[in-house]
Amino acid sequence: MALNESGVIRRPIDTEAQDSKQQRQNFETALYKEWPNHAGFEHLDEHRGPVKLLVKGNIPSFAAGSLYRTGPGQSAVEDTARGTHYVSHWFDGFAHTHKFDILAPEEDGGDTTVIYSSRRQSEEHVAAIKKIGWRHSTSFGQRADPCVGRFAKFMSFFKPHHENNSVVVLTNVPGLPDKRPENTTTGHRTGTRNVYLSTDNDALQEIDPDALEPLGYTKQVALHPDLKGPLSCAHAQRDPETGDYFNFNIEVGRKTTYRVFRVNAAVGTTDILAAITEPDLAPAYIHSFFLTENYVVLCVPSSHYGWSGLKILWENNLLDALKPFDKSRRCKWFVVDRRHDKGVVARFSTPAGFFFHSINAFEKCEKDETGQERTVLNMDLTMYETTDIMLGLYYDVILDRKDAAKAYWEKWGHQNLATRHARVRFPMPTCPQTEHEGAAAEGEEVLSIPSPHSGELSTIHPGKAGKPYRYVYGAGSRGLSTFMDSIVKTDLKTREAVLWSGPPAHSPCEPIFVPRPGGASEDDGVVLTVVLDGTAQRSYLLCLDAATMEEVGRAEADFAIGIGFHGHHASAL
């Protein structure tokens, strides 16, 4: 293991055991001394711009376009009817969207320009909290106010609920009317007709691609009348060739129904590919799924809601509505045909576990032990052994208020909280499965690369979506803080990793891979991420060479930009 002057760490695979031990030691002894905690989450400002950032080094012209990012912004509302309202969980921070316009030089030899702007997206939500003093809309994990009784919570069901879409940026969503006065493409990108923000429910929020102004919400039922369930998936999937849009909708109640659907990008119509209802199928918190050339693959992890999902109404948040993790509740997988309207064509299961993010999925044609060719599905995901990780994302833990971080890690332990890049392999049956056969089938885990050799919030070369691939980029944790502290490039062939790591208290967020047009290799391009310097309370857009993970340029702001969840690069090429 070596650290060179550019902040690049190379980790051969034989350091895994040493890294795991070192992570535990770091959390136990050096966490709070070496890496200062991040302050200022309550008062992250918006900058409607344009704000020109200071560019240092070189950001290649092929990265020109608009980098959108979204996530939580302010985490407190002051001067409410009940005093200051504090947001409990990171996932519930009020939505704040950011845009970095990367402008290629007009002449050869010129410098790339970066223009920044941002806008808060939950002003109505904040205004409602300011008026009544507490959050009445369903949240992810807002802790109950002891001064607000059950009756008040029940009455909140009858108040207008305000959405807080802060998770994923989606562009060119088909099937929905654009709310912009003129449906034209402007700004520093090509082919961007609309921009939507999503979260883990059935609502999509449209924003203006240029000004980031909120334009209103649309429910999935507008796509198809059967999509009436309240829960969905933040990470919709796209067919890289047709642009067709895939997702699922969960209807809860006496029975649970998962409806997997496709929106045709060419004509805007929506088809229900499968309506999955089984006696023992529970509603679950599911943040992503898988798409291959011919199938939609839905994994229902061991993150089940209580009372057939109705506990969400009682608790008024998703996290408290989850059942305690149970190793006997295996992950259930459903393979849905997306080409020939055959519905569910295979079922299988894997041991209990949890994941936020799928990474990629692809099919391979292989011969079985009899010499017969069959399709084998490979699904890559960032796996957790339990659901405990969600409890570590309360603001108290992230900011280590009153030693909350130490208490959390001492209670749950490093083993349950560490991530790993996992690959699940499943040979498709040669004849249609019955439900009994589907229940007996098992998927096989054939690859596991633990942190810090792999990361979270992973991205790959967009041209490799749905295909075999080698490299994945993620936000990593080496155990040096309560948050992410590095960007890791994982080689799935050699299982080795190369990490970029900044000075103490520099926390990067999700990396975005931007390929070089006509690139000679899969890792020919750059990685863009936004880094918060927790000591100086400033942020910068960081550009890394995707092959070497060395810094090639950055664009510096003189203010803090909230560490967000996900982003999207809309190219100008």
Side-chain angles (χ1 to χ4, degrees), residues 483-558:
F483 226 51
M484 299 165 285
D485 54 49
S486 57
I487 297 295
V488 54
K489 174 188 180 182
T490 306
D491 187 329
L492 301 181
K493 182 178 180 179
T494 66
R495 292 164 53 89
E496 295 180 348
V498 182
L499 294 83
W500 173 90
S501 188
H506 284 230
S507 293
C509 58
E510 174 199 50
I512 300 291
F513 181 88
V514 181
R516 184 189 307 274
S521 61
E522 183 181 331
D523 59 354
D524 190 355
V526 296
V527 172
L528 301 176
T529 185
V530 180
V531 183
L532 172 63
D533 177 349
T535 301
Q537 290 294 290
R538 292 200 222 42
S539 297
Y540 54 95
L541 175 67
L542 176 68
C543 182
L544 302 175
D545 183 310
T548 66
M549 295 299 286
E550 295 180 349
E551 178 178 341
V552 296
R554 65 172 63 185
E556 297 180 339
D558 60 4

Side-chain angles (χ1 to χ4, degrees), residues 188-507:
H188 309 290
R189 62 205 163 271
T190 60
T192 303
R193 299 185 306 276
N194 58 49
V195 175
Y196 282 87
L197 306 177
S198 67
T199 187
D200 296 304
N201 62 31
D202 64 327
L204 292 170
Q205 180 185 14
E206 187 175 6
I207 65 173
D208 186 281
D210 298 309
L212 305 180
E213 178 185 2
L215 300 177
Y217 291 87
T218 302
K219 298 282 189 178
Q220 287 179 346
V221 72
L223 295 170
H224 193 286
D226 289 348
L227 303 178
K228 53 184 179 293
L231 303 176
S232 188
C233 176
H235 289 272
Q237 294 270 13
R238 305 297 290 266
D239 185 306
E241 295 182 0
T242 67
D244 290 353
Y245 173 96
F246 295 83
N247 207 337
F248 62 86
N249 176 275
I250 309 176
E251 186 177 1
V252 301
R254 185 177 58 85
K255 63 179 181 179
T256 299
T257 302
Y258 291 81
R259 291 185 174 88
V260 179
F261 66 92
R262 173 189 59 216
V263 183
N264 188 301
V267 296
T269 57
T270 299
D271 300 308
I272 306 297
L273 300 178
I276 306 170
T277 302
E278 296 181 356
D280 60 345
L281 181 61
Y285 172 68
I286 311 175
H287 192 64
S288 60
F289 60 102
F290 305 84
L291 189 71
T292 72
E293 181 181 359
N294 295 292
Y295 304 103
V296 179
V297 184
L298 172 64
C299 175
V300 180
S302 311
S303 47
H304 298 177
Y305 292 115
W307 308 349
S308 298
L310 297 180
K311 195 175 182 182
I312 297 172
L313 299 178
W314 179 255
E315 299 291 351
N316 213 26
N317 76 70
L318 303 184
L319 189 49
D320 289 337
L322 292 177
K323 294 180 179 179
F325 184 82
D326 184 346
K327 288 186 176 180
S328 69
R329 292 198 296 264
R330 294 172 63 87
C331 298
K332 293 186 176 183
W333 298 70
F334 299 88
V335 183
V336 177
D337 176 83
R338 72 177 182 96
R339 300 290 185 186
H340 308 102
D341 297 325
K342 294 182 179 179
V344 177
V345 294
R347 297 172 174 81
F348 64 96
S349 69
T350 53
F354 173 71
F355 71 104
F356 286 116
H357 298 114
S358 60
I359 299 170
N360 195 21
F362 57 92
E363 304 169 21
K364 292 187 71 175
C365 187
E366 299 179 7
K367 290 184 178 181
D368 60 19
E369 61 276 4
T370 67
Q372 183 177 5
E373 289 191 348
R374 62 196 304 180
T375 298
V376 176
L377 304 182
N378 296 271
M379 283 73 62
D380 285 18
L381 64 160
T382 303
M383 195 75 184
Y384 296 89
E385 301 307 314
T386 72
T387 55
D388 296 340
I389 184 61
M390 289 187 274
L391 301 175
L393 297 174
Y394 282 106
Y395 278 116
D396 284 352
V397 176
I398 294 173
L399 302 178
D400 191 32
R401 294 167 175 157
K402 299 179 181 179
D403 289 332
K406 183 178 180 181
Y408 169 74
W409 285 92
E410 287 179 346
K411 179 178 181 179
W412 299 107
H414 176 266
Q415 192 63 34
N416 282 353
L417 306 173
T419 66
R420 58 189 175 89
H421 180 113
R423 175 170 295 171
V424 174
R425 179 182 182 274
F426 179 70
M428 288 292 290
T430 55
C431 57
Q433 285 183 313
T434 66
E435 289 191 11
H436 176 73
E437 291 171 334
E442 288 197 23
E444 177 187 10
E445 186 175 300
V446 295
L447 178 67
S448 178
I449 304 177
S451 170
H453 283 72
S454 64
E456 251 286 14
L457 305 169
S458 298
T459 186
I460 65 172
H461 189 302
K464 291 293 184 178
K467 300 176 182 179
Y469 69 116
R470 180 172 178 175
Y471 300 112
V472 58
Y473 301 84
S477 173
R478 294 186 291 135
L480 298 178
S481 78
T482 57
F483 226 51
M484 299 165 285
D485 54 49
S486 57
I487 297 295
V488 54
K489 174 188 180 182
T490 306
D491 187 329
L492 301 181
K493 182 178 180 179
T494 66
R495 292 164 53 89
E496 295 180 348
V498 182
L499 294 83
W500 173 90
S501 188
H506 284 230
S507 293

